Amino acid sequence: MRQMTYQEAVREAMSQLMREDERVFLMGEDIGIYGGAFGVSRGMIEEFGPERIRNTPISEAAITGAAVGAALTGMRPIMELQFSDFVTIAMDQLVNQAAKLRYMYGGKASVPMVVRAPGGSGTGAAAQHSQSLEAWLAHVPGLKVVQPATAYDAKGLLRAAVEDNNPVIFYEHKLLYGTKSEVPEEPYTIPIGKGDIKRAGRDVTVVATSIMVHKALHAAEVLEKDGISVEVVDPRTLVPLDTELILNSVKKTSRVVVVYEAVKRGGYGAEIVSTIVESDAFDYLDAPVVRLGGKEIPIPQNPELEKHAVPQVDDIVTAIRKMMRKA
Amino acid sequence: MPDSVSAAADELYYRMWLVRYFDEKVDEMFAKGMIHGTTHLCVGQEATAIGGCAVLRDEDKITSTHRGHGHCIGKGADVNRMMAELMGRATGYCKGKGGSMHIADVERGNLGANGIVGGGIPLAVGAALTSKMMKQNYVVLCYFGDGASNEGSFHEAVNLASIWSLPVVFLCENNQYGMSGSVKEMMHIEHIADRAAAYGIPGVVADGNDLLEVIRVTDEAVARARRGDGPTLIEAKTYRWKGHSKSDGRKYRTREEEAEWKAKDPILRFGSTLLASGACTQDDLDRLQQRARADIEAAVQFALDSPMPDIATLEEDVFA
Ligand SMILES: Cc1ncc(C[n+]2csc(CCOP(=O)(O)OP(=O)(O)O)c2C)c(N)n1
């Protein structure tokens, strides 16, 4: 099958959806001729024109609120927050408006919109352009939160997000844009709320999201040489969460490490761990559950410091070795 | 030429070149992969950076933007420590943690560059509030771009400064583009300065490539602020010669337009004024320009010779 980058996969999903449904349109800063800060919408304005590839002023609150309003009245907007860090400016519209309107209206309206948000560190853009803020959004009832790790997942999940009748936060990772995987040409949907076993294993389950899926897979290869068999589970969607998939894996391996890039404290990993501990999978555990997350610091610019701010392959390997020795 | 400018002419001319060479050097170093991360260069905007800060006293403060190297130099920063910061060194202004978009030189009243468009505008208002409440009589010069003037933070902050009559000068560097969005597409008014009317404060349009004009209008606004008469919105029309940041094909504008603006080079323009007024000879100008170039080369060397931050510093400075 043909290989495609994550960036191309998101673009192909958007283009296919726009061809099929005139209610779907794009809105965001520099998404027109510039092609978006990360080139995701490159070339789309040539096909769809400026009415549907809508360049906006630098006005995140207004863009987000306008997406809510358009969604309420029958459109299916996909908006880009140039960097996920700018969600802070759009927070009122997302949290107080998008997430709640349907419930407050007694189910009489819905808000089918998608917020594409590039996040994560590793580019040297430092503290205000490198955050992973998905846990904030996952905390709010009424928002769905998706974090695809591969090009294949990105294409299928974006379709699901646009077809969903709720606001969906589509968290992309900047360092994943250039990564490739096999992606079918024809449209397909990956249901929101369905995780994926990225690698099967016997001894330990690593639950990893976004870029950490790749680091976990790398760690699994290293550990295979030690005779440790690692299963890598990618929830793909934080809200709703595929708890069944995670719990089944934990019951199979009896050990679990949860890895995410966002700051460890108050991060989504705690939610995953609690879900395991509160369930009957708890009885299967042979070792304390381990969480690996970003340090409790803003992301620094210096590349070495930056690397040390978030979990790396070695950290995963070390944590698993330690766990296996103890058990 | 005003006397105050004549007296400081050498220094102003030198600093404009310092800004130009700093950013050209950074451009070159990025291309060579010597700097990690991102950067936004202010080549072409030297008059607003240097002219705006020229009228400030040491105790006055500025807030800056993601395109802040010029403002930083304008407020008197040491280019060695700036270059070290861009290269992530321990000797940098932020110990290698901030990088280009976050340089701050708090000792000299530079409250920092800002990676969030419009993020610094309310901070400037708060700093001006301190000045007023503590009767410190300093003024805050708030730099921001045309694009930032579309953010809610701009409107909310200017309104607050206006109703409280705070000593702040809002200096919009209208360089015609916010990334790829031109002012013609992104706002339906001709002058950003016209927005002042909505908040009941003076709005002034200035030629942002004319150092003397920037100095004149900023001086007036600063004096007004210092008298307790409140904020002014200045719009200085200028142009950024380079792309928005390192990977910008500049497809949203024409090479002809760029050439037109390059012909209005603010440094050469000030140089001609100095020659015409007899304040400097061509030799003087050449010497100042050479000095700036040499100082930037030395800054690169300083940065290269500086140590990387110790990994042990990673978790320092989160809390006071
Ligand atoms: C809140 C926010 N939105 C978007 C961005 C991305 N961004 C950085 S600079 C910039 C353009 C800013 O334009 P302007 O204020 O005119 O300043 P200029 O770059 O022209 O100096 C954009 C969109 C950002 N850093 N912060």
Side-chain angles (χ1 to χ4, degrees):
Chain A
M1 205 193 289
R2 81 196 163 131
Q3 297 263 323
M4 186 177 240
T5 65
Y6 189 97
Q7 186 219 68
E8 289 162 346
V10 174
R11 182 187 314 134
E12 186 168 274
M14 294 195 296
S15 298
Q16 289 177 343
L17 285 154
M18 285 184 65
R19 279 174 213 135
E20 290 164 30
D21 186 345
E22 63 176 9
R23 297 171 304 169
V24 180
F25 71 100
L26 258 52
M27 199 164 36
E29 294 157 20
D30 306 290
I31 62 169
I33 193 161
Y34 197 93
F38 298 96
V40 178
S41 51
R42 197 171 290 144
M44 288 182 72
I45 196 164
E46 278 84 355
E47 179 179 350
F48 299 103
E51 275 289 309
R52 295 183 74 200
I53 306 294
R54 215 162 247 278
N55 251 353
T56 65
I58 311 168
S59 310
E60 292 77 11
I63 302 163
T64 309
V68 176
L72 265 179
T73 48
M75 303 296 281
R76 303 191 87 86
I78 304 175
M79 55 160 285
E80 180 179 284
L81 273 179
Q82 196 161 82
F83 284 77
S84 74
D85 309 68
F86 312 152
V87 76
T88 51
I89 298 167
M91 213 59 166
D92 168 59
Q93 295 297 326
L94 277 179
V95 175
N96 293 322
Q97 314 298 339
K100 300 182 169 52
L101 289 185
R102 179 176 172 76
Y103 188 81
M104 294 186 332
Y105 293 177
K108 293 212 163 53
S110 60
V111 184
M113 62 184 275
V114 178
V115 180
R116 291 189 35 247
S121 68
T123 66
Q128 295 172 330
H129 284 73
S130 304
Q131 299 167 90
S132 303
L133 301 174
E134 65 273 8
W136 286 9
L137 300 158
H139 184 74
V140 179
L143 297 179
K144 295 192 176 179
V145 182
V146 177
Q147 278 192 297
T150 66
Y152 175 82
D153 289 352
K155 182 172 170 186
L157 279 163
L158 188 62
R159 170 163 288 265
V162 172
E163 287 173 351
D164 199 291
N165 284 328
N166 300 286
V168 179
I169 313 295
F170 196 82
Y171 228 104
E172 297 162 19
H173 195 293
K174 295 181 283 248
L175 292 190
L176 292 178
Y177 281 131
T179 61
K180 286 191 172 179
S181 68
E182 286 189 351
V183 179
E185 217 163 308
E186 62 279 6
Y188 59 95
T189 303
I190 293 176
I192 292 185
K194 204 153 167 20
D196 184 35
I197 308 244
K198 288 282 189 299
R199 181 189 210 273
R202 277 184 327 272
D203 300 326
V204 53
T205 296
V206 177
V207 182
T209 47
S210 187
I211 195 165
M212 290 301 157
V213 171
H214 301 270
K215 292 186 184 173
L217 288 170
H218 191 162
E221 272 169 40
V222 174
L223 289 162
E224 195 172 55
K225 294 183 195 109
D226 296 5
I228 300 172
S229 164
V230 177
E231 176 146 304
V232 178
V233 177
D234 173 10
R236 293 196 293 212
T237 305
L238 303 187
V239 182
L241 181 67
D242 189 346
T243 41
E244 199 185 319
L245 185 80
I246 296 170
L247 298 183
N248 285 341
S249 175
V250 173
K251 286 179 192 167
K252 177 170 129 191
T253 63
S254 306
R255 294 179 192 85
V256 60
V257 177
V258 180
V259 194
Y260 53 106
E261 172 163 338
V263 171
K264 179 175 166 186
R265 178 183 60 218
Y268 198 78
E271 184 62 31
I272 294 175
V273 172
S274 301
T275 303
I276 296 166
V277 172
E278 284 172 354
S279 77
D280 62 341
F282 179 73
D283 297 330
Y284 292 75
L285 289 176
D286 283 345
V289 179
V290 168
R291 243 185 325 157
L292 297 178
K295 293 215 163 64
E296 272 120 44
I297 54 172
I299 300 294
Q301 187 259 3
N302 174 283
E304 269 310 302
L305 293 184
E306 188 182 24
K307 255 186 235 151
H308 281 80
V310 301
Q312 300 296 341
V313 174
D314 281 351
D315 300 313
I316 305 173
V317 168
T318 308
I320 292 176
R321 280 195 182 133
K322 213 166 122 193
M323 175 180 269
M324 295 304 291
R325 245 179 272 135
K326 268 204 198 134
Chain B
M1 202 169 4
D3 287 351
S4 61
V5 176
S6 294
D10 280 18
E11 182 65 18
L12 294 172
Y13 186 76
Y14 159 74
R15 284 199 180 180
M16 284 171 96
W17 278 114
L18 208 54
V19 174
R20 171 75 49 94
Y21 284 134
F22 186 91
D23 269 5
E24 284 187 340
K25 194 71 195 179
V26 169
D27 201 19
E28 181 190 318
M29 289 164 72
F30 257 103
K32 288 188 190 153
M34 293 168 74
I35 301 179
H36 175 60
T38 184
T39 191
H40 306 85
L41 308 174
C42 67
V43 175
Q45 302 179 203
E46 294 84 359
T48 45
I50 298 306
C53 289
V55 306
L56 300 182
R57 300 176 185 163
D58 285 349
E59 68 270 22
D60 291 335
K61 302 192 189 303
I62 67 166
T63 60
S64 174
T65 68
H66 58 285
R67 201 175 300 288
H69 303 161
H71 310 148
C72 202
I73 291 172
K75 197 68 174 82
D78 170 6
V79 289
N80 289 358
R81 294 189 61 198
M82 285 175 64
M83 196 61 88
E85 184 55 38
L86 264 68
M87 295 190 75
R89 306 296 161 135
T91 53
Y93 270 111
C94 317
K95 305 179 195 165
K97 290 175 173 170
S100 163
M101 257 192 299
H102 305 289
I103 299 185
D105 180 9
V106 179
E107 291 83 6
R108 277 189 202 72
N110 176 358
L111 299 180
N114 210 307
I116 301 299
V117 170
I121 309 174
L123 303 187
V125 171
L129 181 62
T130 302
S131 176
K132 183 161 175 160
M133 291 180 75
M134 304 304 284
K135 302 194 173 37
Q136 293 178 341
N137 203 33
Y138 66 74
V139 169
V140 185
L141 178 61
C142 170
Y143 282 106
F144 59 100
D146 44 280
S149 79
N150 292 325
E151 286 277 18
S153 58
F154 164 79
H155 297 274
E156 298 180 30
V158 175
N159 188 53
L160 204 53
S162 167
I163 59 170
W164 289 344
S165 244
L166 297 178
V168 54
V169 174
F170 299 104
L171 176 44
C172 178
E173 293 176 299
N174 177 358
N175 62 12
Q176 316 301 323
Y177 294 90
M179 217 155 149
S180 69
S182 83
V183 286
K184 293 189 188 75
E185 291 167 323
M186 293 304 163
M187 51 192 79
H188 201 60
I189 49 175
E190 195 183 345
H191 303 299
I192 292 165
D194 292 346
R195 292 185 161 170
Y199 305 104
I201 63 169
V204 183
V205 177
D207 179 344
N209 276 21
D210 181 350
L211 183 89
L212 294 177
E213 184 164 319
V214 173
I215 289 179
R216 185 174 54 71
V217 298
T218 316
D219 197 34
E220 241 168 64
V222 166
R224 186 181 131 82
R226 229 185 285 282
R227 279 198 308 272
D229 291 344
T232 304
L233 171 61
I234 299 170
E235 174 190 7
K237 312 247 189 206
T238 181
Y239 201 76
R240 81 165 138 70
W241 288 13
K242 309 259 181 195
H244 166 70
S245 64
K246 60 181 176 175
S247 51
D248 176 359
R250 312 192 318 284
K251 280 197 232 153
Y252 49 84
R253 66 189 196 190
T254 64
R255 300 299 84 93
E256 291 73 35
E257 180 186 286
E258 291 178 354
E260 256 172 55
W261 277 94
K262 282 188 185 177
K264 298 187 249 186
D265 185 330
I267 310 187
L268 299 185
R269 184 149 156 203
F270 183 52
S272 316
T273 311
L274 290 178
L275 286 178
S277 72
C280 289
T281 66
Q282 188 60 48
D283 264 5
D284 296 334
L285 296 185
D286 293 347
R287 192 172 33 76
L288 291 163
Q289 184 177 347
Q290 289 321 314
R291 194 175 111 216
R293 189 194 286 271
D295 286 352
I296 295 304
E297 291 302 331
V300 174
Q301 201 53 52
F302 172 84
L304 286 170
D305 292 344
S306 293
M308 286 294 180
D310 196 315
I311 300 297
T313 65
L314 183 61
E315 292 175 77
E316 285 176 3
D317 296 329
V318 176
F319 290 113

